[in-house]
Amino acid sequence: MSPAQRQRGLLDTNTVILLPRLTDPNVLPNEPLISAITLAELSVGPLVAASESDRAARQAHVQQAEADFDPIPFDAAAARAFGRVAASLRRAGRKPTARAYDAMIAAVAVAHDLPLYTCNAEDFAGIGDLHVIAVPHPDQVPEQRT
């Protein structure tokens, strides 16, 4: 995808968490956005952390996201899109409640006609009307061609 084609895009929560570790800025949109759902999901992290160091790291993610982004709200348009997302997941044999945050993030992307950038593209499989752009996970070794 050329830089001109990467105008605006919604980042999934895992992508926001992994931002400091992504080494190729060309895998992200020129204007990265997040939803209020991502901010909510990040806010759970410090409260359920197993250790003080983990809690501090997770709180740093929340604070960085709050500083870097003005989240897109989950509004009436997103609520209507959520119905389509949940129906797509059910048709695909998946339970929307099992991945409620992901379904709501997808609904925000669909409602605002934004591509969704994620390091876990399989989390969004089966969702109609959603354009998913897979961001290479920094822990995955790229396949070598022979």
Side-chain angles (χ1 to χ4, degrees):
M1 182 179 295
S2 75
Q5 294 172 310
R6 298 181 298 108
Q7 293 302 316
R8 299 175 69 207
L10 191 67
L11 304 183
D12 183 28
T13 306
N14 66 59
T15 307
V16 173
I17 291 168
L18 293 169
L19 275 175
R21 296 179 50 212
L22 298 177
T23 58
D24 183 1
N26 291 320
V27 301
L28 298 172
N30 291 332
E31 185 182 347
L33 307 165
I34 68 168
S35 73
I37 306 307
T38 289
L39 195 54
E41 191 173 8
L42 288 171
S43 296
V44 174
L47 301 174
V48 298
S51 69
E52 283 303 317
S53 63
D54 194 26
R55 185 178 340 277
R58 291 177 180 200
Q59 186 62 39
H61 282 298
V62 174
Q63 291 172 325
Q64 192 66 56
E66 289 175 336
D68 291 347
F69 299 99
D70 184 18
I72 299 171
F74 188 86
D75 57 10
R80 286 189 297 278
F82 181 80
R84 297 194 314 271
V85 167
S88 290
L89 288 169
R90 286 185 183 170
R91 282 193 296 274
R94 300 178 69 204
K95 295 181 181 179
T97 54
R99 308 268 335 158
Y101 291 127
D102 289 340
M104 293 176 80
I105 291 167
V108 171
V110 169
H112 292 274
D113 196 26
L114 294 167
L116 181 68
Y117 287 73
T118 180
C119 293
N120 292 328
E122 64 277 0
D123 289 351
F124 298 93
I127 299 176
D129 299 329
L130 179 65
H131 179 69
V132 176
I133 297 176
V135 175
H137 195 289
D139 294 340
Q140 293 177 340
V141 178
E143 291 182 21
Q144 294 188 9
R145 296 180 185 227
T146 56

